[in-house]
Amino acid sequence: MTQPVSLGLTLQKFSIHDGPGIRTTVFFKGCPLRCSWCHNPESQSYRAELLYDAEKCTQCLRCLPHCPQQAITASAATDRNLCRACGECSDHCLHGARQIAGRAISPAELLPQLLADQVFYEQSGGGVTFSGGEPLSHIDVLETLAQESKRHRLHVCVDTCGHAPAESFRRSLRYTDLFLFDLKHMDPAKHRLYTGQDNRLILANLRLLSDFGANIFLRLPLIEGINADSENIAATLAFAKTLRLRQVNLLPYHATGRSKYARLGRADETGEQLKPPTPDRLEEIRHQFAAAGFDTHIGG
Ligand code: SF4
Ligand code: SF4
């Protein structure tokens, strides 16, 4: 267990939205997609990044002399071209204004943290969830962690955007109890427009998992004007009917996390325009999937 795993900000303990029961979620850093509605933008880059919260910063400048790159300015802002995300500044900020997203940790260090809550997993039917970013981008580390989790009889979920080599999915089948599989759009051109990649590999991987008989919760993020229209929902439903799915989760867009774009020094170009479908439209979509025989939930 020597490979390092690059995590996002933290492990999430006592998570109840990343699979059944009470879970610990491991966020791998790095994702092949760039969804315009992403509420975890700190998980997109494969490199460590500095999050700087100007609202928490008192401009005391305690951090300034500790930056080896001279990246911190006299107004306590950060020159992103100089910053190497070393984390020295965050160690010296008393106000929590500076945090590093992405730290290397070995599976051997991580595993005890996953096992610590075993009693809660057992009582609630929970376990561990590997999420991201895209966990299958880190297949060797994922395999080590998931196999060790299974050796301790933990329930293992993999939360995936589906964009990874088919071979990685084949390997993950050996130790994954449940896949939380996101599907963003059925039209390849629109998928590319909104996420940066087309959907061919994603649809093929979803078919591969279904043909193998994997347990799959299909998760549909729903954004008004992007993928909640009748045409896309009909196409999604038609495809879903050809698969073996345990559950369908409808995930209406929410704006939580948009402030992280500013903290990463990135412009939030689309945030203001994004909206969830209306409650009536959401219920209509739920009814369509439920009427087709799917165990369908809003949220999850
Ligand atoms: S130490 Fe923290 S609060 Fe003080 S200037 Fe630096 S970021 Fe701001
Ligand atoms: S993370 Fe390192 S390089 Fe970046 S501003 Fe802080 S101390 Fe400087």
Side-chain angles (χ1 to χ4, degrees), residues 52 57-63 76 92-93 95 97-98:
Y52 166 65
C57 177
T58 61
Q59 299 194 326
C60 68
L61 294 184
R62 188 187 296 267
C63 55
H92 292 89
C93 176
H95 303 278
R98 292 175 174 270

Side-chain angles (χ1 to χ4, degrees), residues 136 158 160 162 166 168-174 176 178-181 202-217 243-245:
L136 285 152
V158 169
T160 177
S168 299
F169 276 97
R170 283 192 202 96
R171 283 170 66 180
S172 70
L173 277 162
R174 295 180 205 133
T176 304
L178 174 65
F179 288 91
L180 309 177
F181 197 113
I202 294 166
L203 298 181
N205 283 330
L206 185 49
R207 166 86 55 222
L208 181 154
L209 293 185
S210 172
D211 287 352
F212 187 84
N215 289 319
I216 307 168
F217 285 8
L243 304 169
R244 290 159 45 121
L245 302 174

